[in-house]
């Protein structure tokens, strides 16, 4: 009776401790030889009960599963496919851990703390952004005119007070009292600042935006911490909050709001100029370099920029361009899927990670597929560059595409899109960018990704460095038959009739 090799391999794998416990895979003429990280996890009795297994031998630390000539080759090939995805995932995890160690610098630690201020605001940005988009559609269509003023108030309330939330989170992250950070940041949006003049200029409510609120809360945290060690304990509960709000408030009104306002205005001007003047080139650079920026941890510096643009203009023009990096990643993964038709395990990994990639969650594809394979990561960046150039080109023509919130990407960004030419044209340009990223990422990876060579380099025969136990004794090699050792992964050219399973 012919043994189903795939079923046998699938039955053996969990009984030897799973793919994480398999260090190397090899076979000789009759035996599947496994080096295990923890041999005690192998269930020898259960292995002997697997249909097709003729015996189990432990020799020199290696587990040998006796399967017989011919059968062992097929089972070994299927066994290697089952463990391939784990090896790829393990390599991706190692690369991720190594990258995390490299990112442990003072600058990147500061950027991570900065991101921690804004990330908790993302759910509110997304919710209010979607409502703002729905309200805009209703206003343009002239529908539900009695409801649209209420939707406007609901969607705009958070953005009107976002400075307070930024100040609260900033003080919390940097070691101050959160409510004091929020109190000082609230000065930025208080209407009464219109009566204050700084550097000969009358301030405007909201001047400086989230950057001003961030700076105000940082100043408040610094003042509070200086006061804590100097004010007598009996007066601390009264003087420290008062001095914190007074000193930081004056610094905000007569310095930070003016400076942050200039910086915020420069950011808006630069973003508009970048895409309207050098759109295609800027999109190519931003879309192509965003994945490396993510790996380096530098993308977190863009979060305050996005938030500033949303606060100023109602949407950020940078996010849709940067989202093209995810499209390139999806195209590259699809090419790997097509190229490696026989790699069942890796194709299963791609199938499970692809839906998340289409929704803009690219980490499973980055660390599970493209980065461990090497070159497909670069071809994915090429796809992102092409998609970014597409959107940048239309921005030069006056069809700017923006996002009313940060966080979502890929297909999930469609409900948050906004632009200069109406929702239909905006969605069409964004969809064209995604399709371009998919297509170029796929084509570049299929043609230049070196997928088969990279996958072969990750095979057990290529990656294993563990010593192989000596072959078990067997019958003499008949004339014209190639003898096999443990390092051999092919069957003999001829198998003598009636060959018996060699004794251990």
């Amino acid at each position: 009776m012919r043994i189903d090799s795939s079923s046998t391999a699938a039955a053996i794998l969990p009984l030897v401790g799973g793919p994480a416990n398999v260090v190397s895979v090899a076979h000789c003429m009759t035996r599947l030889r496994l080096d295990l990280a923890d041999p005690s996890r192998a269930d020898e009795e259960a292995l002997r009960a697997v249909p097709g297994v003729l015996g189990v031998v432990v020799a020199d630390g290696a587990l040998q599963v006796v399967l017989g000539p011919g059968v062992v080759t097929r089972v070994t090939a299927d066994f290697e496919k089952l463990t391939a995805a784990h090896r790829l995932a393990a390599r991706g995890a190692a690369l991720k851990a190594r990258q995390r160690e490299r990112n442990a610098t003072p600058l990147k630690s500061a950027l991570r703390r900065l991101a921690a201020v804004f990330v908790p605001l993302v759910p509110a940005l997304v919710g209010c952004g979607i409502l703002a988009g729905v309200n805009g559609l209703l206003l343009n269509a002239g529908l539900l005119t009695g409801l649209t003023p209420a939707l406007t108030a609901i969607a705009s309330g958070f953005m009107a007070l976002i400075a307070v939330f930024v100040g609260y989170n900033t003080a919390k992250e940097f070691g101050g009292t959160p409510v004091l950070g929020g109190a000082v940041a609230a000065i930025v949006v208080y209407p009464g600042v219109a009566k204050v003049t700084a550097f000969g200029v009358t301030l405007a409510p909201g001047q400086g935006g989230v950057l001003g609120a961030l700076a105000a809360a940082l100043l408040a945290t610094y003042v509070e911490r200086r006061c804590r060690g100097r004010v007598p304990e009996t007066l601390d509960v009264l003087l420290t909050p008062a001095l914190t709000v007074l000193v930081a408030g004056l610094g905000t009104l007569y310095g930070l709001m003016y400076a942050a306002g200039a910086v915020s205005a420069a950011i808006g001007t630069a973003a508009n100029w970048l895409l309207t003047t050098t759109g295609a080139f800027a999109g190519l650079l931003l879309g192509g370099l965003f994945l490396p920026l993510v790996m380096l941890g530098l993308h977190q510096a863009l979060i305050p920029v996005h938030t500033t643009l949303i606060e100023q203009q109602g949407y950020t023009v940078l996010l849709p361009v940067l989202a093209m990096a995810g499209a390139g990643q999806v195209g590259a993964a699809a090419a790997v899927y097509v190229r490696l038709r026989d790699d069942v395990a890796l194709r299963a990994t791609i199938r499970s990670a692809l839906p998340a990639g289409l929704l803009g969650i690219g980490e499973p594809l980055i660390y599970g597929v493209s980065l461990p394979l090497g070159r497909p990561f670069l071809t994915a960046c090429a796809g992102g560059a092409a998609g970014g150039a597409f959107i940048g080109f239309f921005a030069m023509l006056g069809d700017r595409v923006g996002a009313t919130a940060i966080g979502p990407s890929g297909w999930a960004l469609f409900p948050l899109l906004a632009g200069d030419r109406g929702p239909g044209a905006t969605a069409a340009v964004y969809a064209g960018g995604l399709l371009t990223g998919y297509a170029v990422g796929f084509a570049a990876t299929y043609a230049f990704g070196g997928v088969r060579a990279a996958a072969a380099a990750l095979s057990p025969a290529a990656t294993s460095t563990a010593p192989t136990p000596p072959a078990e004794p067997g019958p003499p090699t008949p004339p014209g038959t190639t003898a096999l050792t443990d390092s051999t992964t092919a069957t003999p050219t001829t198998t003598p009739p009636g060959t018996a399973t060699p004794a251990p």
Side-chain angles (χ1 to χ4, degrees):
M1 183 178 67
R2 184 178 178 85
I3 299 297
D4 185 350
S5 59
S6 60
S7 298
T8 303
I12 291 173
L13 183 58
L15 298 178
V16 296
N21 199 38
V22 178
V23 176
S24 67
V25 182
H27 75 88
C28 62
M29 190 166 61
T30 59
R31 301 184 183 190
L32 170 64
R33 295 172 172 268
L34 304 175
D35 248 348
L36 303 180
D38 182 4
S40 66
R41 294 177 61 187
D43 188 340
E44 295 181 30
E45 292 301 321
L47 281 170
R48 290 187 176 92
V50 173
V53 173
L54 305 177
V56 177
V57 178
V58 178
D60 299 324
L63 183 73
Q64 304 174 11
V65 182
V66 183
L67 297 165
V71 176
V72 69
T73 305
R74 299 194 307 273
V75 172
T76 300
D78 289 326
F79 193 88
E80 288 177 343
K81 291 176 183 177
L82 293 174
T83 58
H86 175 78
R87 291 192 302 276
L88 198 65
R91 184 175 177 185
L95 289 170
K96 187 175 181 179
R98 195 178 309 126
Q99 196 62 48
R100 189 181 294 115
E101 291 177 3
R102 292 177 181 173
N103 287 345
T105 64
L107 173 61
K108 292 171 184 175
S109 296
L111 289 177
R112 280 192 293 272
R113 298 187 73 180
L114 187 64
V117 172
F118 291 92
V119 168
L121 306 179
V122 169
L125 285 168
V126 171
C128 294
I130 291 176
L131 291 178
V134 171
N135 191 49
L137 292 174
L138 293 175
L139 287 171
N140 291 334
L143 300 174
L144 301 177
T145 54
L147 180 63
T148 49
L151 285 179
T152 300
I154 294 170
S156 304
F158 173 74
M159 290 306 301
L161 298 174
I162 189 173
V164 179
F165 295 97
V166 169
Y168 184 95
N169 286 347
T170 301
K172 181 179 179 180
E173 177 64 26
F174 287 89
T177 301
V179 72
L180 292 180
V184 175
I187 297 170
V188 174
V189 293
Y190 176 59
V193 300
K195 300 178 180 179
V196 179
T197 301
F199 301 101
V201 177
T202 301
L203 298 178
Q207 185 172 336
V210 294
L211 297 183
L214 178 70
L218 285 173
L219 177 59
T221 299
Y222 174 79
V223 173
E224 180 189 1
R225 295 175 70 175
R226 296 282 292 181
C227 289
R228 292 294 182 194
R230 291 167 173 77
V231 175
E233 291 184 5
T234 54
L235 299 176
D236 181 68
V237 70
L238 298 175
L239 290 183
T240 297
L243 289 173
T244 298
V245 174
L246 174 63
V247 175
L250 290 174
T252 299
L253 288 170
Y254 291 103
L256 296 180
M257 282 186 66
Y258 180 86
V263 173
S264 298
I267 288 174
T269 302
N272 292 334
W273 177 88
L274 191 66
L275 289 179
T276 56
T277 307
T278 65
F281 180 71
L284 184 142
L285 286 180
L286 291 172
L289 295 177
F290 187 63
L291 288 180
L293 285 177
V294 171
M295 289 187 59
L296 294 173
L298 298 177
H299 67 295
Q300 294 166 338
L302 295 172
I303 296 177
V305 176
H306 289 312
T307 310
T308 297
L309 291 174
I310 292 171
E311 190 180 34
Q312 282 184 350
Q313 304 173 5
Y315 55 81
T316 168
V317 293
L318 298 180
L319 184 58
V321 175
L322 299 176
M324 296 301 107
Q329 194 69 232
V330 168
V336 173
Y337 186 88
V338 172
R339 271 291 197 187
L340 300 180
R341 294 183 182 275
D342 298 329
D343 197 326
V344 177
L346 182 56
R347 284 163 65 92
T349 298
I350 294 173
R351 282 197 303 270
S352 64
L354 206 55
L358 291 170
L359 294 175
I361 304 170
E363 192 172 64
L365 289 176
I366 294 174
Y367 290 104
V369 181
S370 64
L371 191 58
L373 291 175
R375 200 182 300 173
F377 180 78
L378 299 179
T379 52
C381 292
F390 182 94
I391 291 184
F393 174 76
F394 277 90
M396 293 175 65
L397 300 179
D399 292 314
R400 292 196 307 169
V401 177
T404 58
I406 58 176
S409 185
W411 293 3
L413 197 60
F414 275 105
L416 299 170
L417 293 177
D420 298 332
R421 299 293 180 89
T426 300
V429 173
Y430 182 70
L434 287 178
L435 293 176
T436 302
Y438 296 154
V440 174
F442 180 93
T445 305
Y446 192 90
F448 308 111
V451 174
R452 293 186 183 276
L458 291 173
S459 67
T463 58
S464 174
T465 58
T468 308
E472 71 277 13
T477 305
T481 302
T482 302
L484 298 182
T485 64
D486 291 349
S487 60
T488 308
T489 55
T491 55
T493 56
T494 61
T495 302
T499 300
T501 302

